[in-house]
Amino acid sequence: MKNFKTTFFFIRLPIAISLAGHGLVRLPKLEGFSAWMVKQMEPSILPTSLIIPFSYILPIAEAIIGLLLLIGFKINYSLYAGLILMSILIFGSCSIENWGAIEAQLLHSFYLFGLLWFKEKEELIPSKTN
């Protein structure tokens, strides 16, 4: 691919904005978001002692992963972190049978996987020097 860096930036842009946006809009209202998440997770088998700290960490993790993807810093690690985060969210959504949320989380996961696959395929192609 002739201009991989530019192409790769534009294909990772939507997921980077999605993750950063999820995190950044929640940061100013962190206590309210935490209270909402604890309420949502009431039917879960997960203890509140795990949900509360996670509800404070989640927006920060989303914002950081999104911003790292946006600026292109440590892309592979950022993609792996995004996949781990989505897996945790999917587990939580399963625990309360929130199947609608799982669809969105799976879509994010497939997008992150696609970026990882695309990047690794490009790394395998020998560069042409003329």
Side-chain angles (χ1 to χ4, degrees), residues 8-117:
F8 193 63
F9 170 77
F10 282 107
I11 63 171
R12 75 176 189 265
L13 186 61
I15 195 79
I17 291 172
S18 177
L19 286 168
H22 271 87
L24 293 174
V25 300
R26 292 172 175 162
L27 285 176
K29 53 185 178 183
L30 206 46
E31 283 187 42
F33 173 73
S34 177
W36 172 84
M37 180 177 266
V38 169
K39 178 105 173 101
Q40 290 291 312
M41 297 300 289
E42 278 179 356
S44 172
I45 60 166
L46 299 172
T48 305
S49 60
L50 285 178
I51 295 168
I52 291 172
F54 182 75
S55 69
Y56 282 96
I57 293 168
L58 177 60
I60 296 165
E62 289 172 324
I64 290 171
I65 293 167
L67 293 172
L68 290 175
L69 287 171
L70 188 64
I71 64 172
F73 185 74
K74 301 285 185 183
I75 295 285
N76 282 8
Y77 292 124
S78 300
L79 292 170
Y80 289 130
L83 287 165
I84 291 167
L85 183 62
M86 288 302 123
S87 298
I88 293 168
L89 290 172
I90 290 167
F91 178 76
S93 295
C94 285
S95 76
I96 58 171
E97 300 181 71
N98 186 350
W99 312 124
I102 293 171
E103 291 174 7
Q105 293 156 352
L106 282 172
L107 181 61
H108 277 76
S109 299
F110 286 128
Y111 201 112
L112 291 164
F113 167 77
L115 287 171
L116 189 60
W117 181 83

